[in-house]
Amino acid sequence: MALPTSTRAEPTRSAAADATDVVGLGRRRAAAFVAPALVLIVVFLVFPALWTLYLGVTDYRLTGLAATHPHFLGAKNYTDVLADGRFRNSLWLTLEFVGGSAVLGQTLLGFSIAWVMRERPMAVRRTVEALVLLAWILPGSVVAFLWLALLDRDGGTLNAMLGTPGTAWLLDHPMACVIVFNVWRGTAFSMMLYTAALGNVPPSHLETAKLAGASTWQTLRDAVLPKIRGHVLTSLLLVSLWTFNDFTPFLITAGGPENRSEVMSAYVYRTALGEGRLGFGAAISLVMLLINLLIAFAYLQALRRRRA
C-alpha cells in the first residue's frame, strides 16, 4: 500500500536561501530594515569623525584663505596642543571638575540620598526623587540661566539669602560654582543607579549586621559595598566621561574669568569657533578622545579585576 504524499509544497531553493535568519526576514529585507539606521550612523558619526581627523592635520580656519585652501600640517597641531599652556591649564581644571563634581560630589551625594531614602515612606521617597530628577531633566540652558540668577552679584538670590550684597561668586570662585552646579544637576543619575543597586542587597545581610551591632560605616563596608562594587564602578565610569565632556560650565562662566574655569570643552569651543582655528580645535578634540579612552580603560580594568 502506497504511503500518502504530503500536500504541503516544499519551499523553493531561493526562498530557503533568502530566509536564513530566525525571524525569516531574509538578507535583503533585513538589510533594508537596518539601512536607515546605518545611514544615520554614517552621516552623524562616521563622517564627522573622519572630517575631524582630516581637520586635525591641517591649518583649516573658519574664515580667511585657510578656509578655502587649507595646508597639510601633519602632527604639528598635536605637538602645538601639548605645548600650549592653555591646554595644560584646561586639562588640570577638567580633572579638578571631574574629581570634585563626578567622583566625589555626584557619587557621594547620589549614594547618600539612595541610602537615606531606602527606608523612608513611599510618599517621601517619590517626592525627593522627583525633586532630584527635576534638576536632571531640565534643559542645560534653562538651568544655567537659573544659576546665573542665583549667583548674580547685584540682585542674586544667594546674596539676598546670605546678606552679602555685591559678592561676585562667579568671579571670585568660578570653579567652585561650576562644580557645585554640576553636582546639583547630575546627582539624579547616581541616585537612581544606587537605588537600584541597594535593592539587590539581600535584606538578611542588613538585618544580620544590625543584630550584630554593626555601625553604619561597618554595615556599608562589610555588607553593602562588596555587593554593589560593580555598580559603583559603572556609575563612576559614566559620570566621569559625561562630566569630562560637559559643555554646560561654559554657559555659566564662558571659561572666565581669565581662563580660570576654562575646562576642555570650553577650550575647544573658544579655540575652534571663537578664534576660528578649526584645525587646532579638531586636534584638541582628538586629544580629549584619547583621554576619555584612557579613563574608560582604567575603569574597565578595575571591573575586570573585580570579576577575576
Side-chain angles (χ1 to χ4, degrees):
M1 181 177 178
L3 296 175
T5 60
S6 174
T7 58
R8 296 178 59 186
E10 294 294 331
T12 63
R13 180 174 300 178
S14 61
D18 192 49
T20 56
D21 56 290
V22 176
V23 296
L25 285 176
R27 295 177 181 175
R28 296 174 185 174
R29 283 177 291 180
F33 184 77
V34 301
L38 293 177
V39 170
L40 292 176
I41 291 174
V42 170
V43 171
F44 292 105
L45 292 178
V46 177
F47 174 74
L50 296 176
W51 183 248
T52 302
L53 288 173
Y54 163 73
L55 292 180
V57 295
T58 68
D59 63 347
Y60 200 99
R61 296 186 65 90
L62 192 60
T63 59
L65 185 62
T68 55
H69 298 88
H71 295 91
F72 178 78
L73 300 178
K76 184 178 184 304
N77 280 334
Y78 296 96
T79 58
D80 290 346
V81 167
L82 297 178
D84 188 6
R86 281 182 63 191
F87 168 77
R88 292 191 293 271
N89 175 68
S90 67
L91 177 58
W92 171 253
L93 291 176
T94 303
L95 294 177
E96 181 183 341
F97 182 50
V98 172
S101 172
V103 177
L104 293 179
Q106 294 181 43
T107 299
L108 292 180
L109 184 58
F111 180 82
S112 299
I113 295 175
W115 177 258
V116 171
M117 289 294 110
R118 76 191 193 286
E119 294 181 349
R120 295 297 182 272
M122 184 62 66
V124 176
R125 291 172 56 187
R126 292 292 179 259
T127 302
V128 173
E129 290 174 358
L131 291 175
V132 176
L133 285 172
L134 183 62
W136 194 41
I137 63 177
L138 285 175
S141 57
V142 175
V143 176
F145 175 79
L146 294 175
W147 273 75
L148 287 173
L150 173 70
L151 301 173
D152 185 69
R153 67 186 308 174
D154 296 323
T157 307
L158 183 59
N159 281 335
M161 293 173 59
L162 298 179
T164 55
T167 302
W169 298 98
L170 293 174
L171 296 178
D172 298 337
H173 312 284
M175 279 305 299
C177 289
V178 297
I179 287 174
V180 173
F181 157 78
N182 200 59
V183 171
W184 173 83
R185 183 168 181 258
T187 298
F189 176 80
S190 296
M191 180 201 70
M192 291 188 298
L193 192 146
Y194 289 128
T195 299
L198 290 174
N200 293 327
V201 177
S204 59
H205 291 193
L206 299 177
E207 189 65 26
T208 301
K210 184 177 180 180
L211 293 175
S215 64
T216 301
W217 165 244
Q218 291 172 331
T219 302
L220 291 174
R221 183 191 61 191
D222 300 329
V224 177
L225 292 180
K227 295 293 183 181
I228 66 170
R229 189 174 294 127
H231 296 82
V232 173
L233 291 173
T234 300
S235 175
L236 284 173
L237 170 61
L238 295 176
V239 298
S240 295
L241 294 179
W242 290 341
T243 304
F244 192 94
N245 300 285
D246 191 12
F247 185 71
T248 313
F250 182 84
L251 301 177
I252 300 178
T253 63
E258 299 178 350
N259 301 333
R260 288 167 54 200
S261 63
E262 190 182 55
V263 294
M264 292 200 70
S265 57
Y267 176 45
V268 172
Y269 178 83
R270 297 174 75 179
T271 301
L273 298 181
E275 301 172 10
R277 303 163 63 192
L278 292 181
F280 194 73
I284 302 170
S285 300
L286 290 173
V287 173
M288 285 182 63
L289 174 61
L290 293 177
I291 297 173
N292 277 285
L293 292 176
L294 289 176
I295 294 174
F297 179 77
Y299 280 121
L300 291 176
Q301 285 295 106
L303 279 171
R304 191 172 292 111
R305 284 195 299 269
R306 173 186 172 272
R307 294 171 180 172

